[in-house]
């Protein structure tokens, strides 16, 4: 797996990713239109321009096939300064590769970026309490649950990871 900058030509693949119910079921998104996929990619570009960090597109190393999106954002979700003031990690991968260990590899890459490139002292994540796969991957990467919150009328778990943390 490899990370790369998003491109406008990723819109169709991003739309397909975010239109798969197995992908968005815990994120409370609805199937994406092409316009929403385009807006999401514009948000990714804006994160890099305004914050110096953002989201990557995830590709299979050998084939170059688009398999997901992951990175760090600043979304001002209204969950308080202890959450909103830290870069928020997020990851989403095509359902065809779920269960193959790619999530663990992806989080290792994100943690390397956070620790060695961006040098974040702390990052956060918001995960649906029913999303067992993301909970396990986050914990293995050193994220620790520290609170619960209500977000868009659903309960979520808030996680934090301190620079250099390991599971």
């Amino acid at each position: 797996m490899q990370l790369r900058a998003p491109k406008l030509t990723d819109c169709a693949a991003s739309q397909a990713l975010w239109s798969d119910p197995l992908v968005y079921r815990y994120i409370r998104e609805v199937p994406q239109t092409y316009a929403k996929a385009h807006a999401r990619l514009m948000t990714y570009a804006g994160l890099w321009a305004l914050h110096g960090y953002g989201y990557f597109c995830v590709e299979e190393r050998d084939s170059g096939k688009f398999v997901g999106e992951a990175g760090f954002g600043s979304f001002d979700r209204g969950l308080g300064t202890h959450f909103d003031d830290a870069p928020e990690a997020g990851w989403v991968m095509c359902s065809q590769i779920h269960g193959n260990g790619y999530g663990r590899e992806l989080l290792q890459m994100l943690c390397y970026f956070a620790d060695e490139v961006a040098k974040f002292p702390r990052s956060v994540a918001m995960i649906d309490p029913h999303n067992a796969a993301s909970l396990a991957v986050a914990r293995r990467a050193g994220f620790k649950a520290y609170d619960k919150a209500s977000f868009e009328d659903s309960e979520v778990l808030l996680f934090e990871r301190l620079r250099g943390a390991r599971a």
Side-chain angles (χ1 to χ4, degrees):
M1 200 169 4
Q2 60 190 14
L3 304 177
R4 65 160 174 80
K7 302 179 283 193
L8 284 176
T9 55
D10 293 320
C11 280
S14 182
Q15 178 190 8
L17 172 73
W18 287 95
S19 294
D20 182 344
L22 294 174
V23 170
Y24 69 75
R25 67 183 165 172
Y26 296 117
I27 307 171
R28 289 167 293 288
E29 294 281 338
V30 295
Q32 295 281 291
T33 63
Y34 188 86
K36 285 190 176 194
H38 184 270
R40 184 181 297 278
L41 292 173
M42 293 296 105
T43 297
Y44 295 167
L47 286 167
W48 284 104
L50 297 174
H51 292 285
Y53 60 84
Y55 270 66
F56 301 95
C57 286
V58 183
E59 293 180 334
E60 287 182 324
R61 191 177 315 279
D62 294 337
S63 69
K65 179 183 173 191
F66 176 101
V67 294
E69 299 169 1
F72 295 90
S74 177
F75 302 116
D76 293 322
R77 297 190 187 276
L79 296 175
T81 57
H82 196 63
F83 187 87
D84 291 335
D85 286 352
E88 180 184 344
W91 55 93
V92 59
M93 300 183 78
C94 295
S95 63
Q96 295 84 355
I97 64 169
H98 288 177
N100 291 323
Y102 288 133
R104 186 176 192 172
E105 180 182 349
L106 178 59
L107 264 286
Q108 288 172 345
M109 295 166 80
L110 287 182
C111 290
Y112 175 84
F113 176 83
D115 291 349
E116 304 300 328
V117 179
K119 300 193 184 305
F120 299 143
R122 177 177 174 270
S123 56
V124 296
M126 176 175 59
I127 304 174
D128 183 295
H130 300 102
N131 189 342
S134 282
L135 292 169
V137 166
R139 287 180 176 125
R140 274 189 234 117
F143 281 89
K144 307 275 188 230
Y146 73 90
D147 205 356
K148 294 178 185 176
S150 178
F151 182 72
E152 296 181 353
D153 299 322
S154 294
E155 183 180 296
V156 293
L157 298 175
L158 303 182
F159 286 77
E160 67 181 349
R161 180 182 178 277
L162 302 179
R163 184 173 178 203
R166 304 287 182 248

